[in-house]
Amino acid sequence: MTDQPQPLFSAVDALLAAVDGGGVLPALDERVRLREAAGLTQAAVAQALGVRVASIEAWEAGRAEPKAERLEAYRRLLEGLSRRFPASAAPSGSTEAPPRPDPGAAPPSAPVAPAAAPAAPSRPAAPGRQPARRAEGKQSAACLHTAPAGGTDPRFENGPLAVVDVEDGQVLAYCTGGLVLDVPAKSLAALVDWTLAEARLGQPRLSGPGKDADPLLVLTQAALERYGLPVTLTDEERLAGRIPEGHNAVKQLARAQWKLTKRGFGPWARIYRPATGSERACVQLCIPSWNALDARHWGHAGQLPPAELARVLGVYASRVMTPRGSTAVTGLELMTALHPPTRASRPDADGKRYSEHNPGSLGQDPVGCAPCEAPDGHPVLKDLPRFHVRGPGEKLFEEAYDWARPMTDGECMLRYLVGIDVNMAFAAGANGLTVGLGEATHVKAPAFDPKLPGSWLVDLSHIDLSRVKVGKEWVELDGSLLPSPFTPKGERPEGPAWYATPTVAYAAELGYEVHPIEAYVRHESGRYLDGWYQRLRDAYLATMADLGVGADLAPAAFLTAMDGYQDRDPEFAIVVSAVKATVKGGLGKLRERPRGEGWKPGQPWRALARPTWRPDIRAAVISRTRTNLHRKIVKHAAFTGQYPVAILSDCVVYAANGPSPLDFLPYREGKPLPGGFKLGINPGLVKHEGTQTVLWGEEVRERFNAPELNLARYIKDGTVTNVDSGE
């Protein structure tokens, strides 16, 4: 016993020496406060210190500490920031308890400043329950980079969603911001009740007349087992998209008077009771092991630990909206959330309000499409002969580019094929686009009006791309090296065909007269997609900034920042992928086709009952996206004499002497060609898609005996596995 104090004294001396030597860093909350006070992102700090973003996150979360020279550099940064941004003292007389520290965090060695966003009102824990706590590991990005999705609304103080898991026999709900709630529910019905009564999950409406988002519960495999649900679906259940109605879990919900939507209990089940007044009682479920989080759009999100999955979904929810299903479903729901179909009327003489049409929305009732806009099998085409194939003069066919041509001798003498890709191309095509909101009107021999949305039957075969207007001047081009802007395959039209307004407007812009034969036009119109575009654009730019790719970078710096950006934080990279999929999927849902269910051609299918089933809007967005791209290609050709070798959707391939886009894009003193391609992260600007050699391109085409094989499909990594399937 007499020797016991000596080791203790030695340990204390070592700790004091560490303090004197600068080896002790400020508390975790203080590290975050200082960085945020200076307006620095984790990516900026990581770049300065020569480490990955994940390392900065680990240092701020207490899961790791810097070593050697990086410890000294990090301490120097924090000391410098603390001098510039001293912690404010807590107000005297405050009775609020200090925030609960993260598990495993060291005791505070410096004052901790108040959080940047006001804290939500606290509420007492339910009797017999442990209070909420913070999850170990990464802090939520919604906490570090954005305001919590629930804002300061006390109804949603715990955020929009929770990942439900079971650990050591205890059911836990991992929320955004690192919060963990104990879940007392013993059954699935009780879990739904607890979510609505106690969890305080959800998200405020995105528009005044809209509805608050329902809480989302993500069930892990352990949670599925706890609540009597299968961990995976059988082949039959997977094809049906749901578990059988006779399953015990479905019966249990029915006994508790809970209902399921017509889609049943599937990967994105909705459990509800009919609304009473303005009060909704609905909970959305997401089941990753049932493939709710499609790997094509959500990457490895379905395999993430609960806290990290809550982080990914929480960032998406705060920047886009709480997921309502697949990214495609969410993209469509976002349109409705921003432009609800109805609003409350002004009070009448008795002070009562009624539901009325919300101007600028698509309304509550579906709108019929014109025959030319209808996809094959639509009821409006039921009188056509069986197996009839509609041609361009009967069918509106606005699709993205899939075009390629053989390389010229001069291009074969160059060394590289360089692909550039338009960022968020279809979102940019939707920005500022006037679309029809109401029914179509059929007119004969109309005068073309570029401001009137609709579908036009017009002959554009006379337009010669060898001589076109660029701005106010006529220019001579090699039209044989350019794709036609009027067909997805880039072929010159052979006669009258149906086109959306942006395509016909571009034909007139090129300097040629257009004389429509007939048209279906929509006089009630508006810029319905502007708010949708802006929200998705902001989500994309904010997440890319978190990955170290800012919106105002010089061309060379932008290319450097884009190199390996996904590896800086794979979880933020998941959010980027999901945002882009939300754009494409949401637009695709505007013309959703039948999905089984015993459908036969000529019969209506479920999607036709939606007011958001609008193939004309989808066609207009694709038309504008394709003509926007062609406009840039023409300006680039007129200025440089360079022509694309291949185009696939929003990716364009050029032959060049160097491997970088800067080797063929005409930058002068850092400024791009006006109206041409510009490097940058904003929607409509371009990034480097990939580079291969010209020899690679010629070898691939020769191997598959396809002189016009679309090399844009394979330019990213050069892998060509199956030409027929496009893989």
Side-chain angles (χ1 to χ4, degrees), residues 423-435 502 526-535 537 583 587 620-622 624-625 628 682-684:
N423 296 310
M424 301 270 283
F426 295 100
N431 182 32
L433 177 66
T434 300
V435 300
R527 291 168 57 161
Y528 175 71
L529 295 173
D530 273 10
W532 183 80
Y533 160 77
Q534 290 162 8
R535 187 158 181 88
R537 174 205 61 195
V583 173
L587 293 173
V621 173
I622 295 176
R624 192 164 186 246
T625 302
N628 280 349
N682 280 289

PDB file of all heavy atoms in Angstrom, residues 423-435 502 526-535 537 583 587 620-622 624-625 628 682-684:
ATOM      1  N   ASN A 423     -23.357  18.431 -65.389  1.00  0.00           N
ATOM      2  CA  ASN A 423     -23.867  18.231 -64.032  1.00  0.00           C
ATOM      3  C   ASN A 423     -25.380  18.452 -63.978  1.00  0.00           C
ATOM      4  O   ASN A 423     -25.885  19.458 -64.470  1.00  0.00           O
ATOM      5  CB  ASN A 423     -23.217  19.222 -63.052  1.00  0.00           C
ATOM      6  CG  ASN A 423     -21.737  19.009 -62.920  1.00  0.00           C
ATOM      7  OD1 ASN A 423     -21.269  17.907 -62.703  1.00  0.00           O
ATOM      8  ND2 ASN A 423     -20.980  20.086 -63.069  1.00  0.00           N
ATOM      9  N   MET A 424     -26.078  17.487 -63.362  1.00  0.00           N
ATOM     10  CA  MET A 424     -27.525  17.654 -63.133  1.00  0.00           C
ATOM     11  C   MET A 424     -28.207  18.191 -64.392  1.00  0.00           C
ATOM     12  O   MET A 424     -28.998  19.143 -64.349  1.00  0.00           O
ATOM     13  CB  MET A 424     -27.751  18.606 -61.964  1.00  0.00           C
ATOM     14  CG  MET A 424     -27.121  18.144 -60.661  1.00  0.00           C
ATOM     15  SD  MET A 424     -28.211  17.129 -59.688  1.00  0.00           S
ATOM     16  CE  MET A 424     -29.310  18.353 -59.003  1.00  0.00           C
ATOM     17  N   ALA A 425     -27.918  17.555 -65.535  1.00  0.00           N
ATOM     18  CA  ALA A 425     -28.361  18.097 -66.821  1.00  0.00           C
ATOM     19  C   ALA A 425     -29.876  18.250 -66.893  1.00  0.00           C
ATOM     20  O   ALA A 425     -30.393  19.277 -67.363  1.00  0.00           O
ATOM     21  CB  ALA A 425     -27.867  17.201 -67.950  1.00  0.00           C
ATOM     22  N   PHE A 426     -30.617  17.240 -66.434  1.00  0.00           N
ATOM     23  CA  PHE A 426     -32.075  17.310 -66.543  1.00  0.00           C
ATOM     24  C   PHE A 426     -32.665  18.298 -65.543  1.00  0.00           C
ATOM     25  O   PHE A 426     -33.703  18.915 -65.806  1.00  0.00           O
ATOM     26  CB  PHE A 426     -32.670  15.916 -66.370  1.00  0.00           C
ATOM     27  CG  PHE A 426     -32.281  14.974 -67.483  1.00  0.00           C
ATOM     28  CD1 PHE A 426     -31.258  14.060 -67.302  1.00  0.00           C
ATOM     29  CD2 PHE A 426     -32.903  15.034 -68.707  1.00  0.00           C
ATOM     30  CE1 PHE A 426     -30.877  13.210 -68.325  1.00  0.00           C
ATOM     31  CE2 PHE A 426     -32.536  14.190 -69.736  1.00  0.00           C
ATOM     32  CZ  PHE A 426     -31.521  13.268 -69.552  1.00  0.00           C
ATOM     33  N   ALA A 427     -32.009  18.470 -64.410  1.00  0.00           N
ATOM     34  CA  ALA A 427     -32.448  19.506 -63.478  1.00  0.00           C
ATOM     35  C   ALA A 427     -32.253  20.879 -64.106  1.00  0.00           C
ATOM     36  O   ALA A 427     -33.128  21.750 -64.019  1.00  0.00           O
ATOM     37  CB  ALA A 427     -31.677  19.398 -62.164  1.00  0.00           C
ATOM     38  N   ALA A 428     -31.094  21.074 -64.751  1.00  0.00           N
ATOM     39  CA  ALA A 428     -30.845  22.349 -65.416  1.00  0.00           C
ATOM     40  C   ALA A 428     -31.849  22.575 -66.532  1.00  0.00           C
ATOM     41  O   ALA A 428     -32.288  23.711 -66.781  1.00  0.00           O
ATOM     42  CB  ALA A 428     -29.421  22.375 -65.968  1.00  0.00           C
ATOM     43  N   GLY A 429     -32.264  21.482 -67.223  1.00  0.00           N
ATOM     44  CA  GLY A 429     -33.267  21.612 -68.268  1.00  0.00           C
ATOM     45  C   GLY A 429     -34.624  22.022 -67.738  1.00  0.00           C
ATOM     46  O   GLY A 429     -35.425  22.639 -68.444  1.00  0.00           O
ATOM     47  N   ALA A 430     -34.897  21.674 -66.486  1.00  0.00           N
ATOM     48  CA  ALA A 430     -36.179  22.034 -65.872  1.00  0.00           C
ATOM     49  C   ALA A 430     -36.197  23.466 -65.367  1.00  0.00           C
ATOM     50  O   ALA A 430     -37.271  24.051 -65.181  1.00  0.00           O
ATOM     51  CB  ALA A 430     -36.486  21.084 -64.715  1.00  0.00           C
ATOM     52  N   ASN A 431     -35.027  24.042 -65.133  1.00  0.00           N
ATOM     53  CA  ASN A 431     -34.950  25.373 -64.530  1.00  0.00           C
ATOM     54  C   ASN A 431     -35.490  26.436 -65.478  1.00  0.00           C
ATOM     55  O   ASN A 431     -35.012  26.594 -66.605  1.00  0.00           O
ATOM     56  CB  ASN A 431     -33.489  25.687 -64.181  1.00  0.00           C
ATOM     57  CG  ASN A 431     -33.340  27.031 -63.514  1.00  0.00           C
ATOM     58  OD1 ASN A 431     -34.223  27.479 -62.793  1.00  0.00           O
ATOM     59  ND2 ASN A 431     -32.210  27.691 -63.755  1.00  0.00           N
ATOM     60  N   GLY A 432     -36.491  27.174 -65.023  1.00  0.00           N
ATOM     61  CA  GLY A 432     -37.047  28.256 -65.820  1.00  0.00           C
ATOM     62  C   GLY A 432     -37.936  27.806 -66.956  1.00  0.00           C
ATOM     63  O   GLY A 432     -38.371  28.637 -67.763  1.00  0.00           O
ATOM     64  N   LEU A 433     -38.243  26.522 -67.040  1.00  0.00           N
ATOM     65  CA  LEU A 433     -39.048  25.998 -68.142  1.00  0.00           C
ATOM     66  C   LEU A 433     -40.537  26.223 -67.873  1.00  0.00           C
ATOM     67  O   LEU A 433     -41.045  25.858 -66.815  1.00  0.00           O
ATOM     68  CB  LEU A 433     -38.765  24.506 -68.307  1.00  0.00           C
ATOM     69  CG  LEU A 433     -39.572  23.768 -69.370  1.00  0.00           C
ATOM     70  CD1 LEU A 433     -39.223  24.281 -70.765  1.00  0.00           C
ATOM     71  CD2 LEU A 433     -39.317  22.264 -69.279  1.00  0.00           C
ATOM     72  N   THR A 434     -41.221  26.787 -68.845  1.00  0.00           N
ATOM     73  CA  THR A 434     -42.668  26.951 -68.754  1.00  0.00           C
ATOM     74  C   THR A 434     -43.336  25.671 -69.242  1.00  0.00           C
ATOM     75  O   THR A 434     -43.077  25.214 -70.361  1.00  0.00           O
ATOM     76  CB  THR A 434     -43.145  28.132 -69.606  1.00  0.00           C
ATOM     77  OG1 THR A 434     -42.506  29.331 -69.139  1.00  0.00           O
ATOM     78  CG2 THR A 434     -44.650  28.297 -69.513  1.00  0.00           C
ATOM     79  N   VAL A 435     -44.162  25.074 -68.401  1.00  0.00           N
ATOM     80  CA  VAL A 435     -44.835  23.820 -68.745  1.00  0.00           C
ATOM     81  C   VAL A 435     -46.339  24.012 -68.640  1.00  0.00           C
ATOM     82  O   VAL A 435     -46.824  24.918 -67.958  1.00  0.00           O
ATOM     83  CB  VAL A 435     -44.380  22.654 -67.830  1.00  0.00           C
ATOM     84  CG1 VAL A 435     -42.882  22.428 -67.952  1.00  0.00           C
ATOM     85  CG2 VAL A 435     -44.764  22.922 -66.381  1.00  0.00           C
ATOM     86  N   PRO A 502     -39.685  23.266 -76.768  1.00  0.00           N
ATOM     87  CA  PRO A 502     -38.278  23.676 -76.821  1.00  0.00           C
ATOM     88  C   PRO A 502     -37.549  23.210 -78.083  1.00  0.00           C
ATOM     89  O   PRO A 502     -36.660  23.919 -78.581  1.00  0.00           O
ATOM     90  CB  PRO A 502     -37.684  23.020 -75.567  1.00  0.00           C
ATOM     91  CG  PRO A 502     -38.829  22.866 -74.628  1.00  0.00           C
ATOM     92  CD  PRO A 502     -39.994  22.540 -75.510  1.00  0.00           C
ATOM     93  N   GLY A 526     -47.138  27.541 -66.460  1.00  0.00           N
ATOM     94  CA  GLY A 526     -46.337  28.168 -65.408  1.00  0.00           C
ATOM     95  C   GLY A 526     -45.006  27.465 -65.258  1.00  0.00           C
ATOM     96  O   GLY A 526     -44.748  26.425 -65.877  1.00  0.00           O
ATOM     97  N   ARG A 527     -44.162  28.028 -64.427  1.00  0.00           N
ATOM     98  CA  ARG A 527     -42.824  27.452 -64.190  1.00  0.00           C
ATOM     99  C   ARG A 527     -42.909  26.534 -62.971  1.00  0.00           C
ATOM    100  O   ARG A 527     -42.336  26.801 -61.923  1.00  0.00           O
ATOM    101  CB  ARG A 527     -41.811  28.583 -64.024  1.00  0.00           C
ATOM    102  CG  ARG A 527     -41.585  29.325 -65.323  1.00  0.00           C
ATOM    103  CD  ARG A 527     -40.819  30.628 -65.200  1.00  0.00           C
ATOM    104  NE  ARG A 527     -39.521  30.493 -64.583  1.00  0.00           N
ATOM    105  CZ  ARG A 527     -38.542  31.388 -64.680  1.00  0.00           C
ATOM    106  NH1 ARG A 527     -38.727  32.479 -65.412  1.00  0.00           N
ATOM    107  NH2 ARG A 527     -37.406  31.213 -64.057  1.00  0.00           N
ATOM    108  N   TYR A 528     -43.629  25.466 -63.175  1.00  0.00           N
ATOM    109  CA  TYR A 528     -43.971  24.541 -62.093  1.00  0.00           C
ATOM    110  C   TYR A 528     -42.742  23.923 -61.439  1.00  0.00           C
ATOM    111  O   TYR A 528     -42.733  23.641 -60.240  1.00  0.00           O
ATOM    112  CB  TYR A 528     -44.875  23.449 -62.668  1.00  0.00           C
ATOM    113  CG  TYR A 528     -45.227  22.325 -61.716  1.00  0.00           C
ATOM    114  CD1 TYR A 528     -46.093  22.541 -60.648  1.00  0.00           C
ATOM    115  CD2 TYR A 528     -44.698  21.053 -61.894  1.00  0.00           C
ATOM    116  CE1 TYR A 528     -46.432  21.512 -59.783  1.00  0.00           C
ATOM    117  CE2 TYR A 528     -45.029  20.014 -61.032  1.00  0.00           C
ATOM    118  CZ  TYR A 528     -45.891  20.242 -59.978  1.00  0.00           C
ATOM    119  OH  TYR A 528     -46.212  19.228 -59.121  1.00  0.00           O
ATOM    120  N   LEU A 529     -41.682  23.696 -62.193  1.00  0.00           N
ATOM    121  CA  LEU A 529     -40.533  22.951 -61.691  1.00  0.00           C
ATOM    122  C   LEU A 529     -39.433  23.835 -61.106  1.00  0.00           C
ATOM    123  O   LEU A 529     -38.393  23.312 -60.685  1.00  0.00           O
ATOM    124  CB  LEU A 529     -39.947  22.093 -62.819  1.00  0.00           C
ATOM    125  CG  LEU A 529     -40.855  20.975 -63.340  1.00  0.00           C
ATOM    126  CD1 LEU A 529     -40.228  20.319 -64.562  1.00  0.00           C
ATOM    127  CD2 LEU A 529     -41.118  19.942 -62.253  1.00  0.00           C
ATOM    128  N   ASP A 530     -39.630  25.136 -61.069  1.00  0.00           N
ATOM    129  CA  ASP A 530     -38.555  26.018 -60.583  1.00  0.00           C
ATOM    130  C   ASP A 530     -38.168  25.716 -59.139  1.00  0.00           C
ATOM    131  O   ASP A 530     -36.990  25.582 -58.810  1.00  0.00           O
ATOM    132  CB  ASP A 530     -38.974  27.482 -60.711  1.00  0.00           C
ATOM    133  CG  ASP A 530     -38.652  28.038 -62.088  1.00  0.00           C
ATOM    134  OD1 ASP A 530     -38.295  27.239 -62.977  1.00  0.00           O
ATOM    135  OD2 ASP A 530     -38.779  29.264 -62.286  1.00  0.00           O
ATOM    136  N   GLY A 531     -39.160  25.645 -58.241  1.00  0.00           N
ATOM    137  CA  GLY A 531     -38.847  25.374 -56.836  1.00  0.00           C
ATOM    138  C   GLY A 531     -38.234  23.999 -56.658  1.00  0.00           C
ATOM    139  O   GLY A 531     -37.337  23.807 -55.822  1.00  0.00           O
ATOM    140  N   TRP A 532     -38.701  23.032 -57.422  1.00  0.00           N
ATOM    141  CA  TRP A 532     -38.152  21.668 -57.401  1.00  0.00           C
ATOM    142  C   TRP A 532     -36.682  21.690 -57.793  1.00  0.00           C
ATOM    143  O   TRP A 532     -35.832  21.086 -57.132  1.00  0.00           O
ATOM    144  CB  TRP A 532     -38.977  20.823 -58.370  1.00  0.00           C
ATOM    145  CG  TRP A 532     -38.646  19.380 -58.456  1.00  0.00           C
ATOM    146  CD1 TRP A 532     -39.018  18.391 -57.594  1.00  0.00           C
ATOM    147  CD2 TRP A 532     -37.908  18.736 -59.496  1.00  0.00           C
ATOM    148  NE1 TRP A 532     -38.552  17.166 -58.037  1.00  0.00           N
ATOM    149  CE2 TRP A 532     -37.872  17.355 -59.202  1.00  0.00           C
ATOM    150  CE3 TRP A 532     -37.275  19.192 -60.652  1.00  0.00           C
ATOM    151  CZ2 TRP A 532     -37.218  16.434 -60.021  1.00  0.00           C
ATOM    152  CZ3 TRP A 532     -36.624  18.277 -61.471  1.00  0.00           C
ATOM    153  CH2 TRP A 532     -36.604  16.920 -61.148  1.00  0.00           C
ATOM    154  N   TYR A 533     -36.392  22.378 -58.881  1.00  0.00           N
ATOM    155  CA  TYR A 533     -34.993  22.502 -59.318  1.00  0.00           C
ATOM    156  C   TYR A 533     -34.136  23.168 -58.257  1.00  0.00           C
ATOM    157  O   TYR A 533     -33.036  22.698 -57.926  1.00  0.00           O
ATOM    158  CB  TYR A 533     -34.920  23.301 -60.626  1.00  0.00           C
ATOM    159  CG  TYR A 533     -33.552  23.889 -60.880  1.00  0.00           C
ATOM    160  CD1 TYR A 533     -32.504  23.096 -61.349  1.00  0.00           C
ATOM    161  CD2 TYR A 533     -33.286  25.232 -60.615  1.00  0.00           C
ATOM    162  CE1 TYR A 533     -31.246  23.625 -61.555  1.00  0.00           C
ATOM    163  CE2 TYR A 533     -32.034  25.773 -60.819  1.00  0.00           C
ATOM    164  CZ  TYR A 533     -31.008  24.963 -61.291  1.00  0.00           C
ATOM    165  OH  TYR A 533     -29.752  25.489 -61.479  1.00  0.00           O
ATOM    166  N   GLN A 534     -34.623  24.261 -57.700  1.00  0.00           N
ATOM    167  CA  GLN A 534     -33.809  25.015 -56.750  1.00  0.00           C
ATOM    168  C   GLN A 534     -33.490  24.198 -55.500  1.00  0.00           C
ATOM    169  O   GLN A 534     -32.369  24.244 -54.997  1.00  0.00           O
ATOM    170  CB  GLN A 534     -34.533  26.312 -56.378  1.00  0.00           C
ATOM    171  CG  GLN A 534     -34.591  27.317 -57.519  1.00  0.00           C
ATOM    172  CD  GLN A 534     -35.650  28.375 -57.323  1.00  0.00           C
ATOM    173  OE1 GLN A 534     -36.268  28.476 -56.255  1.00  0.00           O
ATOM    174  NE2 GLN A 534     -35.897  29.182 -58.357  1.00  0.00           N
ATOM    175  N   ARG A 535     -34.453  23.436 -55.015  1.00  0.00           N
ATOM    176  CA  ARG A 535     -34.187  22.638 -53.813  1.00  0.00           C
ATOM    177  C   ARG A 535     -33.174  21.534 -54.098  1.00  0.00           C
ATOM    178  O   ARG A 535     -32.260  21.296 -53.300  1.00  0.00           O
ATOM    179  CB  ARG A 535     -35.482  22.053 -53.258  1.00  0.00           C
ATOM    180  CG  ARG A 535     -35.280  21.363 -51.909  1.00  0.00           C
ATOM    181  CD  ARG A 535     -36.545  21.255 -51.120  1.00  0.00           C
ATOM    182  NE  ARG A 535     -36.316  20.605 -49.829  1.00  0.00           N
ATOM    183  CZ  ARG A 535     -35.966  21.235 -48.717  1.00  0.00           C
ATOM    184  NH1 ARG A 535     -35.811  22.553 -48.736  1.00  0.00           N
ATOM    185  NH2 ARG A 535     -35.785  20.576 -47.586  1.00  0.00           N
ATOM    186  N   ARG A 537     -30.976  21.505 -56.569  1.00  0.00           N
ATOM    187  CA  ARG A 537     -29.691  22.157 -56.849  1.00  0.00           C
ATOM    188  C   ARG A 537     -28.974  22.512 -55.556  1.00  0.00           C
ATOM    189  O   ARG A 537     -27.764  22.228 -55.402  1.00  0.00           O
ATOM    190  CB  ARG A 537     -29.919  23.433 -57.668  1.00  0.00           C
ATOM    191  CG  ARG A 537     -28.659  24.270 -57.900  1.00  0.00           C
ATOM    192  CD  ARG A 537     -29.006  25.725 -58.147  1.00  0.00           C
ATOM    193  NE  ARG A 537     -29.691  26.328 -57.009  1.00  0.00           N
ATOM    194  CZ  ARG A 537     -30.350  27.477 -57.052  1.00  0.00           C
ATOM    195  NH1 ARG A 537     -30.439  28.153 -58.185  1.00  0.00           N
ATOM    196  NH2 ARG A 537     -30.929  27.961 -55.957  1.00  0.00           N
ATOM    197  N   VAL A 583     -33.549  13.451 -59.209  1.00  0.00           N
ATOM    198  CA  VAL A 583     -33.861  14.260 -60.388  1.00  0.00           C
ATOM    199  C   VAL A 583     -34.366  13.377 -61.525  1.00  0.00           C
ATOM    200  O   VAL A 583     -35.471  13.552 -62.046  1.00  0.00           O
ATOM    201  CB  VAL A 583     -32.625  15.061 -60.839  1.00  0.00           C
ATOM    202  CG1 VAL A 583     -32.904  15.761 -62.164  1.00  0.00           C
ATOM    203  CG2 VAL A 583     -32.220  16.073 -59.778  1.00  0.00           C
ATOM    204  N   LEU A 587     -38.449  12.821 -62.778  1.00  0.00           N
ATOM    205  CA  LEU A 587     -38.911  13.144 -64.129  1.00  0.00           C
ATOM    206  C   LEU A 587     -39.441  11.907 -64.837  1.00  0.00           C
ATOM    207  O   LEU A 587     -40.429  11.969 -65.574  1.00  0.00           O
ATOM    208  CB  LEU A 587     -37.762  13.767 -64.934  1.00  0.00           C
ATOM    209  CG  LEU A 587     -37.293  15.140 -64.453  1.00  0.00           C
ATOM    210  CD1 LEU A 587     -36.047  15.574 -65.202  1.00  0.00           C
ATOM    211  CD2 LEU A 587     -38.402  16.181 -64.613  1.00  0.00           C
ATOM    212  N   ALA A 620     -41.012  17.864 -72.367  1.00  0.00           N
ATOM    213  CA  ALA A 620     -40.492  19.231 -72.472  1.00  0.00           C
ATOM    214  C   ALA A 620     -39.143  19.372 -71.785  1.00  0.00           C
ATOM    215  O   ALA A 620     -38.233  20.042 -72.297  1.00  0.00           O
ATOM    216  CB  ALA A 620     -41.501  20.206 -71.867  1.00  0.00           C
ATOM    217  N   VAL A 621     -38.974  18.736 -70.623  1.00  0.00           N
ATOM    218  CA  VAL A 621     -37.697  18.813 -69.911  1.00  0.00           C
ATOM    219  C   VAL A 621     -36.595  18.132 -70.725  1.00  0.00           C
ATOM    220  O   VAL A 621     -35.489  18.672 -70.881  1.00  0.00           O
ATOM    221  CB  VAL A 621     -37.807  18.166 -68.515  1.00  0.00           C
ATOM    222  CG1 VAL A 621     -36.442  18.087 -67.854  1.00  0.00           C
ATOM    223  CG2 VAL A 621     -38.770  18.954 -67.639  1.00  0.00           C
ATOM    224  N   ILE A 622     -36.886  16.945 -71.253  1.00  0.00           N
ATOM    225  CA  ILE A 622     -35.868  16.232 -72.041  1.00  0.00           C
ATOM    226  C   ILE A 622     -35.549  17.004 -73.317  1.00  0.00           C
ATOM    227  O   ILE A 622     -34.382  17.109 -73.730  1.00  0.00           O
ATOM    228  CB  ILE A 622     -36.354  14.807 -72.362  1.00  0.00           C
ATOM    229  CG1 ILE A 622     -36.490  14.004 -71.070  1.00  0.00           C
ATOM    230  CG2 ILE A 622     -35.401  14.114 -73.323  1.00  0.00           C
ATOM    231  CD1 ILE A 622     -37.050  12.614 -71.272  1.00  0.00           C
ATOM    232  N   ARG A 624     -35.691  20.223 -73.785  1.00  0.00           N
ATOM    233  CA  ARG A 624     -34.861  21.393 -73.461  1.00  0.00           C
ATOM    234  C   ARG A 624     -33.448  20.974 -73.087  1.00  0.00           C
ATOM    235  O   ARG A 624     -32.478  21.650 -73.440  1.00  0.00           O
ATOM    236  CB  ARG A 624     -35.495  22.173 -72.314  1.00  0.00           C
ATOM    237  CG  ARG A 624     -34.871  23.541 -72.084  1.00  0.00           C
ATOM    238  CD  ARG A 624     -35.801  24.367 -71.232  1.00  0.00           C
ATOM    239  NE  ARG A 624     -35.351  25.728 -71.093  1.00  0.00           N
ATOM    240  CZ  ARG A 624     -34.940  26.262 -69.940  1.00  0.00           C
ATOM    241  NH1 ARG A 624     -34.899  25.508 -68.846  1.00  0.00           N
ATOM    242  NH2 ARG A 624     -34.593  27.518 -69.873  1.00  0.00           N
ATOM    243  N   THR A 625     -33.307  19.855 -72.387  1.00  0.00           N
ATOM    244  CA  THR A 625     -31.981  19.374 -72.011  1.00  0.00           C
ATOM    245  C   THR A 625     -31.167  19.021 -73.252  1.00  0.00           C
ATOM    246  O   THR A 625     -29.974  19.357 -73.350  1.00  0.00           O
ATOM    247  CB  THR A 625     -32.111  18.141 -71.102  1.00  0.00           C
ATOM    248  OG1 THR A 625     -32.871  18.484 -69.942  1.00  0.00           O
ATOM    249  CG2 THR A 625     -30.750  17.633 -70.667  1.00  0.00           C
ATOM    250  N   ASN A 628     -30.316  22.240 -75.221  1.00  0.00           N
ATOM    251  CA  ASN A 628     -29.280  22.994 -74.495  1.00  0.00           C
ATOM    252  C   ASN A 628     -27.901  22.432 -74.800  1.00  0.00           C
ATOM    253  O   ASN A 628     -26.938  23.176 -75.020  1.00  0.00           O
ATOM    254  CB  ASN A 628     -29.531  22.929 -72.990  1.00  0.00           C
ATOM    255  CG  ASN A 628     -30.601  23.892 -72.521  1.00  0.00           C
ATOM    256  OD1 ASN A 628     -31.039  24.768 -73.265  1.00  0.00           O
ATOM    257  ND2 ASN A 628     -31.040  23.739 -71.282  1.00  0.00           N
ATOM    258  N   ASN A 682     -21.859  23.606 -60.739  1.00  0.00           N
ATOM    259  CA  ASN A 682     -23.256  24.028 -60.833  1.00  0.00           C
ATOM    260  C   ASN A 682     -23.995  23.230 -61.905  1.00  0.00           C
ATOM    261  O   ASN A 682     -23.402  22.822 -62.907  1.00  0.00           O
ATOM    262  CB  ASN A 682     -23.336  25.518 -61.166  1.00  0.00           C
ATOM    263  CG  ASN A 682     -23.130  26.390 -59.947  1.00  0.00           C
ATOM    264  OD1 ASN A 682     -23.986  26.463 -59.073  1.00  0.00           O
ATOM    265  ND2 ASN A 682     -21.975  27.035 -59.871  1.00  0.00           N
ATOM    266  N   PRO A 683     -25.293  23.003 -61.726  1.00  0.00           N
ATOM    267  CA  PRO A 683     -26.069  22.331 -62.770  1.00  0.00           C
ATOM    268  C   PRO A 683     -25.936  23.058 -64.099  1.00  0.00           C
ATOM    269  O   PRO A 683     -26.032  24.286 -64.168  1.00  0.00           O
ATOM    270  CB  PRO A 683     -27.504  22.403 -62.239  1.00  0.00           C
ATOM    271  CG  PRO A 683     -27.344  22.457 -60.752  1.00  0.00           C
ATOM    272  CD  PRO A 683     -26.113  23.273 -60.522  1.00  0.00           C
ATOM    273  N   GLY A 684     -25.720  22.291 -65.167  1.00  0.00           N
ATOM    274  CA  GLY A 684     -25.532  22.863 -66.492  1.00  0.00           C
ATOM    275  C   GLY A 684     -24.082  23.038 -66.867  1.00  0.00           C
ATOM    276  O   GLY A 684     -23.752  23.104 -68.059  1.00  0.00           O
TER     277      GLY A 684
END
